[in-house]
Amino acid sequence: MSLSRLLAGRKRDSPVWKFFVYDQKTDKSKCRVEDINNEGVRGAFLAGKNSSNLVAHIQRIHKETHKCYTDEKKKRNAEKMILKRKIDEINSTSSQNSGKTKTQTIRESFEHRITAWPTESSEYQVRQDSVIEMIVNTNYPMVLLDQPSFRKMIKTLDPKFKLPGSATLNKRINERFLRQSAQLKDLINHTRKVTICLDGWTKKGLAASFLGVSACFYDTTIDKTRYAFLNLMELQHPHAGEMLAECLKKCLDQWGIRENQVMLIVSDNGSNMVKAIRLLQEVHAAKKSDESES
């Protein structure tokens, strides 16, 4: 194998290649002078790609082209000399100031080039959603997001992610809550039957009482049972059946759950719970009776 074939991948930066094209398969260089001048003459083929042979060809056959080649080579050499002088001046200045300034490390150079993810980019949204899920799933307070040590940790994990403040993320959490609440409401409205679960409890020292309401229904889109927490309401004393019935009715209306959609209501056997469910049944029966008479 010829040397020119072995070095076929080398960069050809000589200005003579403006007038030749090399074919690696045939290991020949074609003269393009005739093609460039539009004379319609087939260019000569020279063996290999030695630039000295190519220059000798245009010097012998194409005098005007050789003059263009010589001018281009002088121009490139002048540009290289200017660039070399500038580099020498920079190196000289750096060596003179080496005792005054600290040389920047590779790590520092990359850190200075880091730019933050744009807030509208998908990379930024993924990282922001991850922080929101952490807050929601762990019930950590929002003030954690403003702690310097937490923000430093986030910056260490991803220097390009600028963590929003607690006020901004609290707004994002509320937006997600409203969006997902609307999706859940639409899902429940398209469900044939729903089971409602009630449970009440009181804080230690009788400081406050609460009623929790959840729903269980079958989702035909995924062929699975879903469980959803609907509401947590603070109760006023006394916890009479009328008040519990009113709270439950308000919750059902809020989620768009119809009376005929409720299959079961599950609760403990407390007298106020039993009375609340009985009152709702009576209201539903009276409403159904009025509709049938009309």
Side-chain angles (χ1 to χ4, degrees):
M1 181 179 293
S2 65
L3 181 61
S4 59
R5 283 180 178 269
L6 290 174
L7 302 179
R10 290 179 60 187
K11 185 178 179 181
R12 298 185 288 273
D13 56 355
S14 172
V16 75
W17 286 107
K18 181 179 178 182
F19 312 104
F20 288 87
V21 59
Y22 176 69
D23 186 355
Q24 187 175 350
K25 293 182 179 180
T26 60
D27 189 25
K28 291 183 179 181
S29 300
K30 177 185 177 183
C31 179
R32 298 177 57 244
V33 175
E34 291 83 356
D35 297 340
I36 296 174
N37 297 332
N38 295 321
E39 295 178 3
V41 181
R42 178 179 174 85
F45 286 88
L46 283 76
K49 59 172 184 174
N50 187 291
S51 58
S52 299
N53 294 339
L54 305 182
V55 172
H57 171 77
I58 60 174
Q59 184 178 9
R60 184 176 64 256
I61 307 299
H62 311 288
K63 305 295 184 180
E64 292 296 328
T65 302
H66 183 263
K67 184 177 183 302
C68 294
Y69 159 77
T70 306
D71 295 340
E72 180 67 21
K73 187 174 182 180
K74 289 180 180 179
K75 180 181 176 182
R76 291 193 184 187
N77 290 338
E79 291 175 350
K80 288 181 180 179
M81 290 299 297
I82 294 174
L83 180 61
K84 185 178 182 303
R85 283 197 216 99
K86 289 183 178 180
I87 294 175
D88 292 341
E89 290 175 0
I90 293 173
N91 292 337
S92 176
T93 305
S94 300
S95 61
Q96 292 176 3
N97 298 333
S98 58
K100 301 178 182 179
T101 59
K102 180 182 176 182
T103 304
Q104 192 178 49
T105 64
I106 297 177
R107 179 184 179 86
E108 291 171 342
S109 300
F110 277 103
E111 287 180 349
H112 290 164
R113 295 181 60 186
I114 291 174
T115 55
W117 295 114
T119 55
E120 67 277 3
S121 65
S122 59
E123 292 84 359
Y124 181 88
Q125 296 299 328
V126 167
R127 287 154 179 78
Q128 179 178 257
D129 291 345
S130 179
V131 176
I132 290 176
E133 289 178 8
M134 185 273 294
I135 292 293
V136 172
N137 295 334
T138 60
N139 289 323
Y140 283 141
M142 296 296 294
V143 293
L144 172 68
L145 304 175
D146 297 326
Q147 294 296 324
S149 56
F150 182 79
R151 301 186 72 86
K152 181 180 179 181
M153 180 190 70
I154 295 297
K155 185 177 181 181
T156 303
L157 295 176
D158 188 352
K160 298 179 70 174
F161 176 55
K162 186 176 181 181
L163 180 67
S166 58
T168 301
L169 281 182
N170 190 42
K171 182 180 178 181
R172 298 290 178 268
I173 291 175
N174 289 332
E175 291 173 352
R176 174 179 289 195
F177 171 76
L178 294 176
R179 184 169 59 253
Q180 294 185 348
S181 295
Q183 295 174 354
L184 176 60
K185 185 176 181 179
D186 182 68
L187 192 62
I188 293 176
N189 290 340
H190 289 83
T191 302
R192 290 181 63 251
K193 294 296 180 180
V194 181
T195 297
I196 301 298
C197 300
L198 303 176
D199 193 17
W201 70 95
T202 303
K203 289 179 65 176
K204 189 176 181 179
L206 302 178
S209 299
F210 301 91
L211 176 66
V213 183
S214 61
C216 174
F217 57 94
Y218 187 77
D219 187 357
T220 57
T221 60
I222 60 173
D223 292 330
K224 288 184 179 180
T225 303
R226 285 186 179 269
Y227 302 89
F229 186 77
L230 301 182
N231 212 333
L232 178 64
M233 296 166 284
E234 185 174 0
L235 301 175
Q236 303 297 325
H237 290 280
H239 308 155
E242 292 81 1
M243 185 186 62
L244 294 178
E246 181 181 352
C247 290
L248 180 56
K249 182 67 168 57
K250 184 178 179 180
C251 178
L252 296 179
D253 292 341
Q254 177 186 354
W255 288 96
I257 302 175
R258 304 175 299 277
E259 290 85 351
N260 60 357
Q261 200 177 359
V262 178
M263 182 173 66
L264 293 173
I265 298 181
V266 182
S267 70
D268 57 26
N269 60 354
S271 58
N272 54 352
M273 287 287 191
V274 174
K275 184 177 181 181
I277 296 173
R278 178 172 54 80
L279 290 174
L280 286 177
Q281 289 175 332
E282 292 175 356
V283 171
H284 176 58
K287 183 178 179 181
K288 191 174 182 180
S289 176
D290 293 340
E291 290 177 354
S292 61
E293 291 178 359
S294 60

